[in-house]
Amino acid sequence: MNLTYIDGLIILVYFGFVLGIGFVLKRYTKTSKDFFQAGRSMPAWICGLAFISANLGAQEIIGMAASGAKYGIATSHFYWIGAIPAMVFVGLLMMPFYYGSRARSVPEYLRLRFDEKTRGFNAISFALMTVFSSGISMYAMAKLIQILHIFDTPLRSIGLGPEYVFHVCIAISAVIVLVYVFLGGLTSAIYNEVLQFFLIVAGFAPLIFLGLKRTGGWYGIRQTLSPALTHTWEGMGSSSTNLMGIEAFGLVMGLGFVLSFGYWCTDFLVVQRAMAADSMSAARRTPLIAAIPKMLFPILVVLPGLIAMATPSRDPGHSQYTGLIPYKVVEASGELAYDQNGKPELDYDLTIPVLLLNYFPTGILGLGLTALIASFMSGMAGNVTAFNTVWTYDIYQAYIRRNASDAHYLWMGRMATIFGIGASVFAAYIATRFNNIMDILQLVFAFVNAPLFATFLLGMFWKRATGHGAFTGLGAGTLAAAVHHGLTLPVGSGVGVKGGWLGALYTYPSEMAQNFWTAIYAWTTCFVVTILVSAVTTPRPDRDLVGLVYSLTDRPKDEPLAWYSQPVTLACFVLGATLLLNILFY
Amino acid sequence: MEPADPPDSKTAGAMGVDIRLPIGLMFAIIGVMLAAFGLFSESSIYERSLGININLIWGTILISFSLVLLWLGSRKRRPD
């Protein structure tokens, strides 16, 4: 399948608009507050869509469709259990402290609430993680385009062979994101995230429409596929009766509580979008508005996996049980990859691209590919803007140059953008040495983020928690995650990046189960150690904690909004609708 | 707590740029491109989209969506 001129033109129109937004916003970006905080002037709906779009990166679209094909509709747990409750919590209960305090970033909140060392620990680990994630995004996009051979012909016309596809993709995505973030900072990133959000929906909606039409709708998919793939809760009673290999407790505690709250409530990448809002009420509504598309996203990103499994393959030699999903090929030898039972493995990461190529003729194929590129870029820009802010405010201003002019920090933010993208490119090339991007991300995420939510929970809701307690707790939590990972292995895996490097004492039925339990151990350790150390160290006086701790802060008064746009009303609606979705797809 | 701005003072973006206008314009251009291509393309390419001229249909839908965005973005511009 080769692209024609119309597909190329659509991609170029998209590039033109994202760059154009950067150039238009450059003249409005005069202070560091404009650059890092979008002037704190965004209305709630824009922040809400940016909030969701910044999270909708490569890992999300490709990984969730892959998971949808592998584990079925139960992948929606990553949304309905693993996102919505945490998004409601951060909007209703945590945003007053983020937005209402003087903090400009999540690490800065930690400095105000606890102390310098806790902020430093969080700032440095977060900065590393954003660069890493952004590099993974780039790697995933470039690799996918390379495997699909869709840009081979246009590149050949300018005299470059297919071996250059990977490098050209990395270079183009890096330069475009660099230009628009460099020029317009967070405003530019947020505006482009809103544009990318609509583009992603516009690109994937017709795919779902055609896919459902071909497979006979949800009813037809249920007739074609095994019941294990079309239920979210059935079989979750025990880890041996569902495809994910996790039992309901591990799922709800590990994913639904620790990992989900750890990400949505403390990750500056998303929180930064809400902190750019124009008022306290807009900041609180940001995650709640974001939750509305988020709860429906399984239709856009998980359902394609099921459609791919249920669509009959045009290749007569292909097994009818694998739908469109191709077999996995070992890159080095060119032979099929086999699992521990000797069955050929499927290359689930190709779910979205094979669907696009199967259902889309030229023209709309260009739009579908643009949607895919847009998702990569929004995820990457989210990481880059979070990185340049944390670097400039929490590392550079805190430890390197304390009292420089605002113009200097604005300059440093732009330099950090260049450096951050350069480091991401480096990370992308490191990623070429690993193959399962989701696993590695989950791992880093569990080590660094899982204990963090315990720190914030205690920090915001227990005024007795101390800086020493928080810092020791975080360190102990991260260590507990590493030790747990080192002592356990998912079934069928070798010692190494999958775990067991301290000696495999326990074997989990799946990698997902191991990840969730790593998070649970990390969180619990951090929670307990923070309480114990806080109990024997001196707390800060109450007057220092006003605006930072729940019991010492006035309840936020909402503006006179219509009842249906009050944060509490939105929260009830979102939770009710999510519950309904869980029941419908039980 | 920072004093909150009155809710009606902001509509769709900071800095004098209403985000709905560039997004609307982009979808208008892409919609017209798809619909025009759909009108003049051979029907054989639509075998994979189940015989549906998805370019024409989706192009038209995107044009309608863009008109809504452009209309929302251009009504009652607040004086800055």
Side-chain angles (χ1 to χ4, degrees):
Chain A
M1 180 67 203
N2 274 321
L3 299 180
T4 63
Y5 69 92
I6 182 84
D7 305 303
L9 275 178
I10 291 173
I11 296 174
L12 288 179
V13 167
Y14 162 72
F15 285 169
F17 271 86
V18 286
L19 290 174
I21 286 175
F23 279 102
V24 169
L25 290 174
K26 177 176 186 286
R27 60 199 172 104
Y28 297 102
T29 312
K30 296 193 177 80
T31 65
S32 69
K33 188 176 174 182
D34 294 335
F35 190 81
F36 297 115
Q37 301 179 282
R40 276 201 163 193
S41 59
M42 294 284 166
W45 74 269
I46 290 191
C47 294
L49 294 184
F51 190 94
I52 206 68
S53 191
N55 162 263
L56 194 63
Q59 305 86 309
E60 178 104 353
I61 299 266
I62 295 186
M64 287 299 154
S67 242
K70 196 172 176 182
Y71 304 117
I73 197 74
T75 305
S76 307
H77 287 313
F78 281 93
Y79 294 77
W80 299 336
I81 293 291
I84 304 296
M87 290 166 84
V88 169
F89 187 84
V90 69
L92 283 187
L93 290 166
M94 290 176 76
M95 210 41 82
F97 307 108
Y98 283 136
Y99 195 86
S101 72
R102 284 157 291 131
R104 298 165 298 180
S105 68
V106 166
E108 195 164 52
Y109 172 84
L110 286 177
R111 181 181 66 80
L112 295 171
R113 171 62 186 87
F114 294 115
D115 55 15
E116 193 58 60
K117 61 182 180 299
T118 312
R119 182 251 284 266
F121 181 84
N122 181 234
I124 291 166
S125 61
F126 180 79
L128 287 173
M129 206 170 72
T130 48
V131 166
F132 183 78
S133 305
S134 159
I136 299 274
S137 254
M138 271 186 179
Y139 162 79
M141 173 170 87
K143 195 78 196 164
L144 200 66
I145 288 174
Q146 188 185 29
I147 294 171
L148 293 174
H149 299 292
I150 41 178
F151 289 138
D152 291 9
T153 316
L155 275 188
R156 203 173 298 122
S157 67
I158 55 166
L160 293 176
E163 69 275 17
Y164 285 98
V165 170
F166 185 84
H167 311 298
V168 169
C169 289
I170 297 246
I172 290 178
S173 57
V175 168
I176 290 179
V177 173
L178 172 67
V179 169
Y180 78 73
V181 175
F182 183 89
L183 293 171
L186 183 62
T187 314
S188 187
I190 287 181
Y191 274 18
N192 275 316
E193 280 154 11
V194 176
L195 182 143
Q196 285 148 346
F197 169 84
F198 285 116
L199 202 50
I200 292 164
V201 177
F204 288 116
L207 183 68
I208 309 304
F209 167 73
L210 292 173
L212 282 179
K213 200 168 160 60
R214 176 72 182 84
T215 52
W218 179 239
Y219 178 79
I221 289 176
R222 286 179 62 165
Q223 299 292 311
T224 315
L225 300 180
S226 96
L229 284 167
T230 55
H231 287 91
T232 52
W233 286 104
E234 210 176 83
M236 279 292 165
S238 150
S239 59
S240 58
T241 51
N242 67 80
L243 296 167
M244 286 178 161
I246 181 84
E247 75 297 338
F249 179 80
L251 180 78
V252 172
M253 276 305 288
L255 175 66
F257 182 63
V258 178
L259 284 175
S260 161
F261 281 68
Y263 178 75
W264 295 100
C265 302
T266 73
D267 199 302
F268 185 51
L269 175 109
V270 286
V271 174
Q272 187 178 28
R273 269 81 197 143
M275 287 170 81
D278 60 12
S279 66
M280 169 67 85
S281 136
R284 295 182 70 205
R285 278 181 291 148
T286 294
L288 301 169
I289 291 172
I292 298 170
K294 185 74 183 175
M295 69 185 167
L296 298 173
F297 267 6
I299 300 174
L300 221 54
V301 298
V302 178
L303 194 55
L306 290 147
I307 291 174
M309 291 296 276
T311 304
S313 173
R314 294 205 177 110
D315 177 2
H318 209 84
S319 158
Q320 57 166 319
Y321 299 108
T322 61
L324 294 174
I325 302 187
Y327 289 116
K328 195 170 194 157
V329 176
V330 182
E331 208 173 336
S333 62
E335 288 171 3
L336 292 185
Y338 292 91
D339 63 13
Q340 71 260 27
N341 301 325
K343 288 204 287 195
E345 282 185 61
L346 295 177
D347 201 344
Y348 292 107
D349 283 349
L350 291 180
T351 303
I352 286 281
V354 295
L355 272 179
L356 289 175
L357 295 178
N358 188 71
Y359 283 110
F360 277 180
T362 182
I364 199 149
L365 180 61
L367 183 64
L369 289 173
T370 308
L372 204 53
I373 296 171
S375 82
F376 289 115
M377 286 194 174
S378 63
M380 193 173 139
N383 280 301
V384 170
T385 48
F387 171 82
N388 67 24
T389 309
V390 166
W391 163 263
T392 307
Y393 284 157
D394 295 299
I395 298 175
Y396 186 73
Q397 192 177 26
Y399 305 111
I400 299 171
R401 222 178 132 181
R402 201 172 284 272
N403 293 312
S405 66
D406 187 70
H408 179 77
Y409 293 124
L410 175 60
W411 173 82
M412 180 39 76
R414 292 204 155 115
M415 291 305 114
T417 307
I418 298 179
F419 172 76
I421 290 182
S424 306
V425 171
F426 181 69
Y429 280 94
I430 291 180
T432 54
R433 301 178 60 196
F434 297 97
N435 45 28
N436 205 335
I437 55 172
M438 277 294 269
D439 297 342
I440 297 166
L441 257 191
Q442 284 274 15
L443 195 65
V444 175
F445 184 37
F447 285 14
V448 177
N449 263 21
L452 203 56
F453 182 63
T455 309
F456 279 87
L457 197 65
L458 290 169
M460 286 184 174
F461 299 98
W462 189 46
K463 65 179 183 178
R464 183 71 183 72
T466 68
H468 293 313
F471 184 75
T472 328
L474 275 179
T478 304
L479 189 69
V483 169
H484 178 264
H485 184 258
L487 289 175
T488 58
L489 261 180
V491 67
S493 295
V495 171
V497 72
K498 306 277 187 201
W501 37 272
L502 292 173
L505 293 183
Y506 183 78
T507 306
Y508 282 102
S510 73
E511 210 165 312
M512 206 181 283
Q514 184 201 28
N515 284 335
F516 292 172
W517 279 101
T518 299
I520 294 173
Y521 278 103
W523 187 89
T524 312
T525 307
C526 178
F527 191 78
V528 172
V529 170
T530 305
I531 292 176
L532 291 178
V533 176
S534 292
V536 295
T537 45
T538 320
R540 293 174 62 184
D542 283 2
R543 64 175 183 280
D544 289 357
L545 299 176
V546 174
L548 300 168
V549 178
Y550 189 79
S551 60
L552 301 172
T553 305
D554 295 332
R555 300 291 89 81
K557 286 186 190 60
D558 281 320
E559 296 141 37
L561 292 166
W563 64 271
Y564 53 82
S565 39
Q566 296 282 359
V568 176
T569 321
L570 277 171
C572 293
F573 169 74
V574 164
L575 290 176
T578 307
L579 184 67
L580 191 68
L581 286 167
N582 274 292
I583 295 168
L584 279 176
F585 292 93
Y586 179 83
Chain B
M1 300 284 164
E2 285 198 352
D5 292 315
D8 59 348
S9 72
K10 303 279 166 27
T11 51
M15 306 181 175
V17 187
D18 190 317
I19 183 62
R20 288 174 290 199
L21 296 177
I23 297 178
L25 191 61
M26 185 187 77
F27 278 115
I29 294 174
I30 293 179
V32 168
M33 282 165 63
L34 276 183
F37 184 77
L39 276 180
F40 297 108
S41 51
E42 292 170 35
S43 58
S44 63
I45 67 167
Y46 297 107
E47 192 198 334
R48 62 178 65 212
S49 57
L50 320 174
I52 299 168
N53 187 336
I54 192 79
N55 285 332
L56 181 58
I57 294 173
W58 199 245
T60 315
I61 291 174
L62 290 186
I63 292 169
S64 324
F65 174 63
S66 73
L67 291 176
V68 173
L69 280 181
L70 291 172
W71 173 70
L72 286 173
S74 58
R75 74 186 170 148
K76 58 170 182 185
R77 308 300 307 277
R78 67 196 152 98
D80 289 294

